[in-house]
Short mmCIF file of all heavy atoms in Angstrom, two decimals:
data_model
loop_
_atom_site.label_atom_id
_atom_site.label_comp_id
_atom_site.label_asym_id
_atom_site.label_seq_id
_atom_site.Cartn_x
_atom_site.Cartn_y
_atom_site.Cartn_z
N MET C 618 20.29 8.78 -31.16
CA MET C 618 19.64 7.66 -30.62
C MET C 618 20.01 7.46 -29.17
O MET C 618 19.24 7.11 -28.27
CB MET C 618 19.93 6.47 -31.39
CG MET C 618 19.03 5.24 -30.99
SD MET C 618 17.39 5.62 -31.46
CE MET C 618 16.56 3.97 -31.13
N LYS C 619 21.36 7.62 -28.88
CA LYS C 619 21.89 7.53 -27.51
C LYS C 619 21.13 8.59 -26.63
O LYS C 619 20.95 8.32 -25.52
CB LYS C 619 23.34 7.69 -27.44
CG LYS C 619 24.12 6.49 -27.98
CD LYS C 619 25.49 6.58 -27.91
CE LYS C 619 26.33 5.48 -28.49
NZ LYS C 619 27.80 5.66 -28.45
N ILE C 620 21.09 9.79 -27.10
CA ILE C 620 20.46 10.86 -26.33
C ILE C 620 18.97 10.55 -26.08
O ILE C 620 18.55 10.77 -24.87
CB ILE C 620 20.61 12.21 -27.05
CG1 ILE C 620 22.02 12.65 -27.26
CG2 ILE C 620 19.77 13.22 -26.40
CD1 ILE C 620 22.20 13.82 -28.10
N LEU C 621 18.24 9.94 -26.92
CA LEU C 621 16.88 9.54 -26.69
C LEU C 621 16.79 8.56 -25.65
O LEU C 621 16.05 8.64 -24.70
CB LEU C 621 16.27 9.15 -27.99
CG LEU C 621 14.75 8.72 -27.85
CD1 LEU C 621 13.85 9.85 -27.47
CD2 LEU C 621 14.37 8.03 -29.20
N LEU C 622 17.61 7.55 -25.75
CA LEU C 622 17.65 6.46 -24.72
C LEU C 622 17.96 7.07 -23.34
O LEU C 622 17.46 6.52 -22.29
CB LEU C 622 18.46 5.29 -25.14
CG LEU C 622 18.02 4.50 -26.39
CD1 LEU C 622 18.95 3.46 -26.73
CD2 LEU C 622 16.56 3.95 -26.17
N GLY C 623 19.00 7.90 -23.35
CA GLY C 623 19.38 8.54 -22.13
C GLY C 623 18.29 9.31 -21.47
O GLY C 623 18.06 9.24 -20.27
N LYS C 624 17.57 10.09 -22.30
CA LYS C 624 16.46 10.84 -21.78
C LYS C 624 15.24 10.01 -21.22
O LYS C 624 14.72 10.23 -20.14
CB LYS C 624 15.90 11.82 -22.76
CG LYS C 624 16.75 13.01 -23.04
CD LYS C 624 16.14 13.98 -23.99
CE LYS C 624 17.03 15.27 -24.16
NZ LYS C 624 16.33 16.16 -25.10
N ILE C 625 14.96 8.93 -21.98
CA ILE C 625 14.00 7.96 -21.50
C ILE C 625 14.38 7.31 -20.13
O ILE C 625 13.55 7.21 -19.27
CB ILE C 625 13.78 6.84 -22.70
CG1 ILE C 625 13.03 7.52 -23.77
CG2 ILE C 625 12.98 5.70 -22.11
CD1 ILE C 625 12.84 6.54 -24.96
N ALA C 626 15.64 6.91 -20.06
CA ALA C 626 16.18 6.30 -18.84
C ALA C 626 15.96 7.42 -17.69
O ALA C 626 15.66 7.09 -16.55
CB ALA C 626 17.51 5.81 -19.01
N PHE C 627 16.48 8.51 -17.94
CA PHE C 627 16.61 9.64 -17.00
C PHE C 627 15.16 9.96 -16.52
O PHE C 627 14.88 9.88 -15.25
CB PHE C 627 17.18 10.92 -17.50
CG PHE C 627 17.11 12.06 -16.56
CD1 PHE C 627 17.99 12.10 -15.48
CD2 PHE C 627 16.24 13.15 -16.90
CE1 PHE C 627 17.89 13.25 -14.59
CE2 PHE C 627 16.15 14.15 -15.97
CZ PHE C 627 16.97 14.29 -14.93
N TYR C 628 14.20 10.20 -17.38
CA TYR C 628 12.81 10.48 -16.95
C TYR C 628 12.10 9.30 -16.32
O TYR C 628 11.24 9.44 -15.44
CB TYR C 628 11.97 10.95 -18.14
CG TYR C 628 12.40 12.42 -18.52
CD1 TYR C 628 12.94 12.72 -19.84
CD2 TYR C 628 12.29 13.48 -17.68
CE1 TYR C 628 13.37 14.02 -20.13
CE2 TYR C 628 12.65 14.79 -17.98
CZ TYR C 628 13.18 15.18 -19.21
OH TYR C 628 13.55 16.27 -19.50
N GLY C 629 12.46 8.04 -16.72
CA GLY C 629 11.91 6.90 -16.16
C GLY C 629 12.40 6.83 -14.68
O GLY C 629 11.54 6.50 -13.76
N ILE C 630 13.60 7.11 -14.37
CA ILE C 630 14.09 7.13 -12.93
C ILE C 630 13.47 8.16 -12.15
O ILE C 630 13.05 7.91 -10.99
CB ILE C 630 15.67 7.24 -12.95
CG1 ILE C 630 16.26 5.90 -13.60
CG2 ILE C 630 16.16 7.41 -11.51
CD1 ILE C 630 17.72 6.03 -13.77
N ILE C 631 13.27 9.44 -12.72
CA ILE C 631 12.68 10.52 -11.95
C ILE C 631 11.24 10.17 -11.74
O ILE C 631 10.75 10.39 -10.58
CB ILE C 631 12.81 11.80 -12.88
CG1 ILE C 631 14.17 12.26 -13.06
CG2 ILE C 631 11.99 12.98 -12.26
CD1 ILE C 631 14.91 12.54 -11.76
N ILE C 632 10.43 9.54 -12.68
CA ILE C 632 9.09 9.23 -12.36
C ILE C 632 9.04 8.16 -11.32
O ILE C 632 8.19 8.22 -10.44
CB ILE C 632 8.41 8.79 -13.69
CG1 ILE C 632 8.24 10.00 -14.70
CG2 ILE C 632 7.09 8.05 -13.51
CD1 ILE C 632 7.77 9.75 -16.07
N PHE C 633 9.87 7.17 -11.37
CA PHE C 633 9.90 6.15 -10.37
C PHE C 633 10.11 6.67 -8.99
O PHE C 633 9.46 6.38 -8.06
CB PHE C 633 10.92 5.07 -10.64
CG PHE C 633 11.11 4.04 -9.59
CD1 PHE C 633 10.14 3.10 -9.48
CD2 PHE C 633 12.14 4.05 -8.70
CE1 PHE C 633 10.34 2.14 -8.46
CE2 PHE C 633 12.27 3.24 -7.76
CZ PHE C 633 11.36 2.25 -7.52
N ILE C 634 11.12 7.54 -8.86
CA ILE C 634 11.43 8.18 -7.57
C ILE C 634 10.20 9.10 -7.02
O ILE C 634 9.81 8.95 -5.88
CB ILE C 634 12.64 9.07 -7.64
CG1 ILE C 634 13.92 8.10 -7.85
CG2 ILE C 634 12.90 9.98 -6.42
CD1 ILE C 634 15.15 8.94 -8.17
N LEU C 635 9.61 9.84 -7.94
CA LEU C 635 8.47 10.60 -7.60
C LEU C 635 7.32 9.80 -7.07
O LEU C 635 6.65 10.11 -6.13
CB LEU C 635 8.10 11.56 -8.62
CG LEU C 635 9.00 12.72 -9.03
CD1 LEU C 635 8.55 13.55 -10.19
CD2 LEU C 635 9.19 13.65 -7.76
N LEU C 636 6.97 8.79 -7.84
CA LEU C 636 5.89 7.82 -7.44
C LEU C 636 6.19 7.18 -6.11
O LEU C 636 5.39 7.00 -5.28
CB LEU C 636 5.59 6.75 -8.58
CG LEU C 636 4.97 7.30 -9.88
CD1 LEU C 636 4.90 6.22 -10.73
CD2 LEU C 636 3.59 7.78 -9.49
N GLU C 637 7.41 6.76 -5.88
CA GLU C 637 7.89 6.16 -4.65
C GLU C 637 7.66 7.12 -3.46
O GLU C 637 7.14 6.80 -2.37
CB GLU C 637 9.27 5.69 -4.71
CG GLU C 637 9.69 4.90 -3.54
CD GLU C 637 9.13 3.54 -3.43
OE1 GLU C 637 8.72 2.98 -4.45
OE2 GLU C 637 9.00 3.02 -2.35
N VAL C 638 8.04 8.37 -3.65
CA VAL C 638 7.86 9.40 -2.59
C VAL C 638 6.38 9.58 -2.37
O VAL C 638 5.99 9.64 -1.27
CB VAL C 638 8.58 10.69 -3.05
CG1 VAL C 638 8.16 11.85 -2.09
CG2 VAL C 638 10.10 10.51 -3.00
N TYR C 639 5.62 9.60 -3.27
CA TYR C 639 4.19 9.82 -3.23
C TYR C 639 3.48 8.69 -2.51
O TYR C 639 2.70 8.95 -1.55
CB TYR C 639 3.45 9.90 -4.62
CG TYR C 639 1.98 10.08 -4.64
CD1 TYR C 639 1.45 11.23 -4.29
CD2 TYR C 639 1.16 9.12 -5.00
CE1 TYR C 639 0.05 11.55 -4.33
CE2 TYR C 639 -0.21 9.22 -5.01
CZ TYR C 639 -0.73 10.51 -4.64
OH TYR C 639 -2.06 10.65 -4.64
N VAL C 640 3.92 7.39 -2.77
CA VAL C 640 3.32 6.26 -2.09
C VAL C 640 3.81 6.30 -0.60
O VAL C 640 2.90 6.03 0.27
CB VAL C 640 3.72 4.98 -2.70
CG1 VAL C 640 3.40 3.80 -1.84
CG2 VAL C 640 3.07 4.80 -4.04
N ARG C 641 5.02 6.70 -0.39
CA ARG C 641 5.48 6.60 1.06
C ARG C 641 4.97 7.85 1.89
O ARG C 641 4.79 7.66 3.05
CB ARG C 641 6.96 6.62 1.08
CG ARG C 641 7.67 5.36 0.63
CD ARG C 641 9.05 5.36 0.70
NE ARG C 641 9.53 4.08 0.04
CZ ARG C 641 10.16 3.13 0.67
NH1 ARG C 641 10.31 3.26 1.99
NH2 ARG C 641 10.57 2.06 0.07
N VAL C 642 4.77 8.97 1.24
CA VAL C 642 4.22 10.08 2.07
C VAL C 642 2.67 9.94 2.34
O VAL C 642 2.25 10.15 3.56
CB VAL C 642 4.45 11.46 1.23
CG1 VAL C 642 3.59 12.58 1.81
CG2 VAL C 642 5.78 11.74 1.24
N PHE C 643 1.91 9.49 1.37
CA PHE C 643 0.49 9.39 1.56
C PHE C 643 0.09 7.95 2.03
O PHE C 643 -1.12 7.68 2.31
CB PHE C 643 -0.21 9.78 0.27
CG PHE C 643 -0.18 11.17 0.01
CD1 PHE C 643 0.59 11.57 -1.14
CD2 PHE C 643 -0.72 12.09 0.70
CE1 PHE C 643 0.72 12.92 -1.49
CE2 PHE C 643 -0.70 13.48 0.49
CZ PHE C 643 0.06 13.78 -0.74
N GLN C 644 1.00 7.05 2.14
CA GLN C 644 0.79 5.65 2.61
C GLN C 644 -0.43 5.06 1.85
O GLN C 644 -1.41 4.74 2.54
CB GLN C 644 0.64 5.63 4.12
CG GLN C 644 1.87 6.05 4.80
CD GLN C 644 1.74 6.09 6.35
OE1 GLN C 644 0.71 5.62 6.85
NE2 GLN C 644 2.69 6.51 7.05
N ILE C 645 -0.25 4.85 0.60
CA ILE C 645 -1.27 4.31 -0.12
C ILE C 645 -1.25 2.74 -0.06
O ILE C 645 -0.64 2.05 -0.90
CB ILE C 645 -1.20 4.75 -1.67
CG1 ILE C 645 -1.25 6.19 -1.69
CG2 ILE C 645 -2.37 4.19 -2.49
CD1 ILE C 645 -1.03 6.84 -2.99
N HIS C 646 -1.89 2.19 0.92
CA HIS C 646 -1.98 0.81 1.10
C HIS C 646 -3.10 0.60 2.07
O HIS C 646 -3.62 1.39 2.79
CB HIS C 646 -0.73 0.19 1.58
CG HIS C 646 -0.29 0.67 2.94
ND1 HIS C 646 -0.78 0.19 4.11
CD2 HIS C 646 0.53 1.69 3.40
CE1 HIS C 646 -0.32 0.84 5.10
NE2 HIS C 646 0.52 1.77 4.67
N SER C 647 -3.71 -0.55 1.96
CA SER C 647 -4.80 -0.95 2.90
C SER C 647 -4.32 -1.49 4.10
O SER C 647 -3.39 -2.40 4.17
CB SER C 647 -5.78 -1.90 2.18
OG SER C 647 -5.04 -3.07 1.95
N ASP C 648 -4.69 -0.99 5.21
CA ASP C 648 -4.23 -1.44 6.50
C ASP C 648 -5.33 -2.40 7.07
O ASP C 648 -6.25 -1.94 7.88
CB ASP C 648 -3.96 -0.29 7.41
CG ASP C 648 -3.47 -0.74 8.86
OD1 ASP C 648 -2.96 -1.89 8.93
OD2 ASP C 648 -3.43 0.07 9.77
N THR C 649 -5.36 -3.61 6.78
CA THR C 649 -6.36 -4.56 7.15
C THR C 649 -5.87 -5.56 8.27
O THR C 649 -4.66 -5.75 8.20
CB THR C 649 -6.89 -5.37 6.02
OG1 THR C 649 -5.89 -6.06 5.38
CG2 THR C 649 -7.55 -4.40 4.88
N PRO C 650 -6.69 -6.04 8.95
CA PRO C 650 -6.25 -7.12 10.01
C PRO C 650 -5.58 -8.36 9.34
O PRO C 650 -6.14 -8.73 8.24
CB PRO C 650 -7.41 -7.37 10.76
CG PRO C 650 -8.58 -6.57 10.33
CD PRO C 650 -8.11 -5.89 9.09
N LEU C 651 -4.63 -8.85 9.85
CA LEU C 651 -3.94 -10.03 9.25
C LEU C 651 -4.93 -11.30 9.51
O LEU C 651 -5.55 -11.38 10.49
CB LEU C 651 -2.54 -10.29 9.89
CG LEU C 651 -1.62 -9.26 9.79
CD1 LEU C 651 -0.32 -9.53 10.55
CD2 LEU C 651 -1.26 -9.01 8.35
N ARG C 652 -4.91 -12.21 8.54
CA ARG C 652 -5.81 -13.28 8.60
C ARG C 652 -5.02 -14.59 8.32
O ARG C 652 -3.91 -14.53 7.80
CB ARG C 652 -6.91 -13.23 7.55
CG ARG C 652 -7.72 -11.99 7.74
CD ARG C 652 -8.77 -11.90 6.58
NE ARG C 652 -8.94 -10.42 6.29
CZ ARG C 652 -9.45 -10.01 5.27
NH1 ARG C 652 -9.91 -10.73 4.40
NH2 ARG C 652 -9.60 -8.63 5.08
N TYR C 653 -5.68 -15.68 8.67
CA TYR C 653 -5.06 -17.00 8.33
C TYR C 653 -6.15 -17.95 8.12
O TYR C 653 -7.30 -17.72 8.44
CB TYR C 653 -4.13 -17.42 9.57
CG TYR C 653 -4.84 -17.85 10.79
CD1 TYR C 653 -5.23 -19.17 10.98
CD2 TYR C 653 -5.24 -16.92 11.72
CE1 TYR C 653 -5.83 -19.55 12.15
CE2 TYR C 653 -5.89 -17.27 12.87
CZ TYR C 653 -6.15 -18.63 13.07
OH TYR C 653 -6.86 -18.89 14.24
N ILE C 654 -5.91 -19.08 7.45
CA ILE C 654 -6.84 -20.18 7.29
C ILE C 654 -6.54 -21.32 8.19
O ILE C 654 -5.42 -21.86 8.18
CB ILE C 654 -6.85 -20.53 5.80
CG1 ILE C 654 -7.16 -19.38 4.84
CG2 ILE C 654 -7.72 -21.72 5.57
CD1 ILE C 654 -7.12 -19.61 3.44
N ASP C 655 -7.48 -21.72 8.97
CA ASP C 655 -7.26 -22.82 9.91
C ASP C 655 -7.32 -24.15 9.17
O ASP C 655 -7.47 -24.29 8.02
CB ASP C 655 -8.30 -22.74 11.11
CG ASP C 655 -9.61 -23.00 10.65
OD1 ASP C 655 -9.93 -23.20 9.56
OD2 ASP C 655 -10.57 -23.01 11.59
N THR C 656 -7.27 -25.21 9.95
CA THR C 656 -7.17 -26.62 9.42
C THR C 656 -8.49 -27.06 8.79
O THR C 656 -8.46 -27.88 7.94
CB THR C 656 -6.86 -27.60 10.52
OG1 THR C 656 -7.77 -27.50 11.55
CG2 THR C 656 -5.50 -27.45 11.07
N TYR C 657 -9.60 -26.38 9.08
CA TYR C 657 -10.84 -26.74 8.44
C TYR C 657 -11.20 -25.77 7.21
O TYR C 657 -12.22 -25.86 6.66
CB TYR C 657 -11.99 -26.44 9.53
CG TYR C 657 -11.73 -27.44 10.65
CD1 TYR C 657 -11.54 -26.87 11.89
CD2 TYR C 657 -11.99 -28.78 10.55
CE1 TYR C 657 -11.38 -27.78 12.92
CE2 TYR C 657 -11.94 -29.71 11.61
CZ TYR C 657 -11.50 -29.15 12.70
OH TYR C 657 -11.32 -29.93 13.94
N GLY C 658 -10.25 -24.94 6.84
CA GLY C 658 -10.44 -24.09 5.61
C GLY C 658 -11.17 -22.82 6.00
O GLY C 658 -11.63 -22.14 5.04
N VAL C 659 -11.25 -22.42 7.20
CA VAL C 659 -12.03 -21.22 7.61
C VAL C 659 -11.02 -20.05 7.76
O VAL C 659 -10.03 -20.22 8.40
CB VAL C 659 -12.90 -21.45 8.91
CG1 VAL C 659 -13.53 -20.21 9.39
CG2 VAL C 659 -13.82 -22.63 8.80
N GLU C 660 -11.35 -18.94 7.18
CA GLU C 660 -10.52 -17.73 7.30
C GLU C 660 -10.81 -17.07 8.60
O GLU C 660 -12.01 -16.67 8.87
CB GLU C 660 -10.80 -16.82 6.06
CG GLU C 660 -9.99 -15.55 6.07
CD GLU C 660 -10.29 -14.68 4.94
OE1 GLU C 660 -10.87 -15.19 3.99
OE2 GLU C 660 -9.95 -13.44 5.08
N LYS C 661 -9.84 -16.88 9.32
CA LYS C 661 -9.98 -16.24 10.67
C LYS C 661 -8.85 -15.14 10.75
O LYS C 661 -7.85 -15.11 10.20
CB LYS C 661 -9.72 -17.11 11.85
CG LYS C 661 -10.70 -18.34 11.88
CD LYS C 661 -10.54 -19.21 13.08
CE LYS C 661 -11.56 -20.24 13.20
NZ LYS C 661 -11.28 -21.20 14.35
N ARG C 662 -9.25 -14.13 11.60
CA ARG C 662 -8.25 -13.09 11.92
C ARG C 662 -7.34 -13.37 13.12
O ARG C 662 -7.83 -14.00 14.07
CB ARG C 662 -8.95 -11.82 12.17
CG ARG C 662 -9.64 -11.21 10.92
CD ARG C 662 -10.46 -9.96 11.29
NE ARG C 662 -10.95 -9.37 10.14
CZ ARG C 662 -12.08 -9.70 9.49
NH1 ARG C 662 -12.85 -10.76 10.08
NH2 ARG C 662 -12.46 -9.10 8.36
N ILE C 663 -6.14 -12.99 12.97
CA ILE C 663 -5.20 -13.20 14.18
C ILE C 663 -5.64 -12.35 15.31
O ILE C 663 -5.86 -11.15 15.12
CB ILE C 663 -3.73 -12.89 13.66
CG1 ILE C 663 -3.30 -13.83 12.55
CG2 ILE C 663 -2.81 -13.00 14.76
CD1 ILE C 663 -2.09 -13.52 11.83
N PRO C 664 -5.68 -12.89 16.55
CA PRO C 664 -6.26 -12.15 17.58
C PRO C 664 -5.12 -11.17 18.05
O PRO C 664 -3.99 -11.14 17.83
CB PRO C 664 -6.46 -13.25 18.72
CG PRO C 664 -5.53 -14.44 18.33
CD PRO C 664 -5.43 -14.41 16.82
N ASN C 665 -5.63 -10.30 19.03
CA ASN C 665 -4.86 -9.23 19.61
C ASN C 665 -4.16 -8.24 18.69
O ASN C 665 -3.01 -7.91 18.87
CB ASN C 665 -3.89 -9.85 20.59
CG ASN C 665 -4.51 -10.64 21.68
OD1 ASN C 665 -5.60 -10.31 22.15
ND2 ASN C 665 -3.91 -11.76 22.01
N GLN C 666 -4.93 -7.76 17.62
CA GLN C 666 -4.32 -6.82 16.67
C GLN C 666 -4.96 -5.46 16.99
O GLN C 666 -6.18 -5.40 17.19
CB GLN C 666 -4.58 -7.20 15.32
CG GLN C 666 -3.93 -8.49 14.79
CD GLN C 666 -4.20 -8.71 13.39
OE1 GLN C 666 -3.77 -7.98 12.60
NE2 GLN C 666 -4.88 -9.77 13.08
N LEU C 667 -4.36 -4.44 16.80
CA LEU C 667 -4.85 -3.05 17.03
C LEU C 667 -4.40 -2.25 15.67
O LEU C 667 -3.27 -2.49 15.27
CB LEU C 667 -4.24 -2.32 18.19
CG LEU C 667 -4.55 -2.91 19.57
CD1 LEU C 667 -3.78 -2.20 20.60
CD2 LEU C 667 -6.12 -2.83 19.77
N GLY C 668 -5.32 -1.55 15.23
CA GLY C 668 -4.89 -0.74 14.02
C GLY C 668 -6.12 -0.04 13.48
O GLY C 668 -7.27 0.15 14.13
N THR C 669 -6.03 0.51 12.24
CA THR C 669 -7.11 1.26 11.58
C THR C 669 -7.30 0.64 10.35
O THR C 669 -6.36 0.50 9.51
CB THR C 669 -6.67 2.68 11.45
OG1 THR C 669 -6.41 3.17 12.79
CG2 THR C 669 -7.80 3.45 10.91
N TYR C 670 -8.60 0.23 9.99
CA TYR C 670 -8.92 -0.35 8.64
C TYR C 670 -9.26 0.85 7.81
O TYR C 670 -10.11 1.68 8.14
CB TYR C 670 -10.09 -1.25 8.84
CG TYR C 670 -10.58 -1.95 7.61
CD1 TYR C 670 -9.76 -2.89 6.99
CD2 TYR C 670 -11.68 -1.44 6.94
CE1 TYR C 670 -10.19 -3.46 5.84
CE2 TYR C 670 -12.16 -2.01 5.71
CZ TYR C 670 -11.44 -3.03 5.17
OH TYR C 670 -11.76 -3.58 4.04
N VAL C 671 -8.46 0.97 6.72
CA VAL C 671 -8.67 2.19 5.86
C VAL C 671 -9.04 1.73 4.49
O VAL C 671 -8.37 0.84 3.85
CB VAL C 671 -7.33 2.89 5.73
CG1 VAL C 671 -7.42 4.16 4.88
CG2 VAL C 671 -6.84 3.39 7.08
N THR C 672 -10.11 2.39 3.88
CA THR C 672 -10.46 2.22 2.53
C THR C 672 -10.61 3.50 1.84
O THR C 672 -10.79 4.55 2.52
CB THR C 672 -11.73 1.39 2.33
OG1 THR C 672 -12.76 2.08 3.03
CG2 THR C 672 -11.62 0.03 2.85
N GLY C 673 -10.51 3.56 0.64
CA GLY C 673 -10.67 4.84 -0.23
C GLY C 673 -9.34 5.52 -0.29
O GLY C 673 -8.37 5.22 0.33
N ASN C 674 -9.46 6.66 -0.99
CA ASN C 674 -8.22 7.45 -1.29
C ASN C 674 -8.11 8.46 -0.15
O ASN C 674 -9.05 9.09 0.22
CB ASN C 674 -8.31 8.21 -2.65
CG ASN C 674 -7.12 8.79 -3.08
OD1 ASN C 674 -6.08 8.67 -2.38
ND2 ASN C 674 -7.23 9.62 -4.12
N ARG C 675 -6.91 8.59 0.39
CA ARG C 675 -6.63 9.55 1.49
C ARG C 675 -7.65 9.43 2.67
O ARG C 675 -8.13 10.23 3.21
CB ARG C 675 -6.78 10.96 0.94
CG ARG C 675 -5.77 11.23 -0.14
CD ARG C 675 -5.76 12.63 -0.58
NE ARG C 675 -4.91 12.84 -1.66
CZ ARG C 675 -4.70 14.01 -2.32
NH1 ARG C 675 -5.32 15.06 -1.79
NH2 ARG C 675 -3.84 14.10 -3.24
N ARG C 676 -7.65 8.14 3.17
CA ARG C 676 -8.46 7.80 4.38
C ARG C 676 -9.84 8.35 4.32
O ARG C 676 -10.32 8.88 5.30
CB ARG C 676 -7.63 8.36 5.55
CG ARG C 676 -6.29 7.77 5.84
CD ARG C 676 -5.52 8.42 6.95
NE ARG C 676 -6.34 8.30 8.17
CZ ARG C 676 -6.23 7.37 9.05
NH1 ARG C 676 -5.35 6.35 8.82
NH2 ARG C 676 -7.01 7.36 10.07
N GLN C 677 -10.61 8.07 3.28
CA GLN C 677 -11.97 8.52 3.21
C GLN C 677 -12.79 7.77 4.23
O GLN C 677 -13.73 8.24 4.81
CB GLN C 677 -12.57 8.31 1.77
CG GLN C 677 -11.93 9.20 0.80
CD GLN C 677 -12.42 8.96 -0.65
OE1 GLN C 677 -12.93 7.86 -0.87
NE2 GLN C 677 -12.21 9.86 -1.53
N HIS C 678 -12.56 6.45 4.40
CA HIS C 678 -13.32 5.62 5.38
C HIS C 678 -12.29 4.93 6.24
O HIS C 678 -11.58 4.04 5.79
CB HIS C 678 -14.00 4.59 4.66
CG HIS C 678 -15.06 5.06 3.64
ND1 HIS C 678 -16.24 5.74 4.01
CD2 HIS C 678 -14.98 5.21 2.17
CE1 HIS C 678 -16.89 6.14 2.94
NE2 HIS C 678 -16.00 5.77 1.82
N ALA C 679 -12.13 5.31 7.41
CA ALA C 679 -11.30 4.74 8.36
C ALA C 679 -11.95 4.38 9.64
O ALA C 679 -12.75 5.05 10.21
CB ALA C 679 -10.12 5.86 8.73
N MET C 680 -11.67 3.06 10.04
CA MET C 680 -12.28 2.50 11.28
C MET C 680 -11.22 1.93 12.08
O MET C 680 -10.27 1.16 11.56
CB MET C 680 -13.28 1.46 10.83
CG MET C 680 -14.69 1.83 10.94
SD MET C 680 -15.83 0.61 10.28
CE MET C 680 -15.05 -0.96 10.42
N ASP C 681 -11.32 1.97 13.36
CA ASP C 681 -10.38 1.32 14.31
C ASP C 681 -10.84 -0.07 14.61
O ASP C 681 -11.99 -0.27 14.53
CB ASP C 681 -10.28 2.10 15.60
CG ASP C 681 -9.60 3.43 15.50
OD1 ASP C 681 -8.78 3.56 14.59
OD2 ASP C 681 -9.93 4.30 16.29
N TYR C 682 -9.92 -0.90 14.70
CA TYR C 682 -10.31 -2.40 15.03
C TYR C 682 -9.41 -2.84 16.15
O TYR C 682 -8.35 -2.28 16.35
CB TYR C 682 -10.18 -3.24 13.88
CG TYR C 682 -8.80 -3.41 13.20
CD1 TYR C 682 -7.89 -4.39 13.67
CD2 TYR C 682 -8.46 -2.67 12.12
CE1 TYR C 682 -6.66 -4.49 13.14
CE2 TYR C 682 -7.12 -2.73 11.59
CZ TYR C 682 -6.31 -3.64 12.10
OH TYR C 682 -5.03 -3.93 11.49
N SER C 683 -9.83 -3.85 16.88
CA SER C 683 -9.08 -4.46 17.93
C SER C 683 -9.40 -5.90 17.98
O SER C 683 -10.52 -6.32 17.52
CB SER C 683 -9.26 -3.70 19.21
OG SER C 683 -10.60 -3.80 19.55
#
């Protein structure tokens, strides 16, 4: 039983490390402009931001914004 739990823990850690490397290498996250809600409840974007708006897997749709 100890060997089974040890293998589960070992492979769990290995899978976690591999997924973490995959996320950091391919940067799987959406890069959207930062927003805030003003006093009237309207959602606005913070001014003077530069970047790329990315959707889809592996930058299928990428647009620059400013």
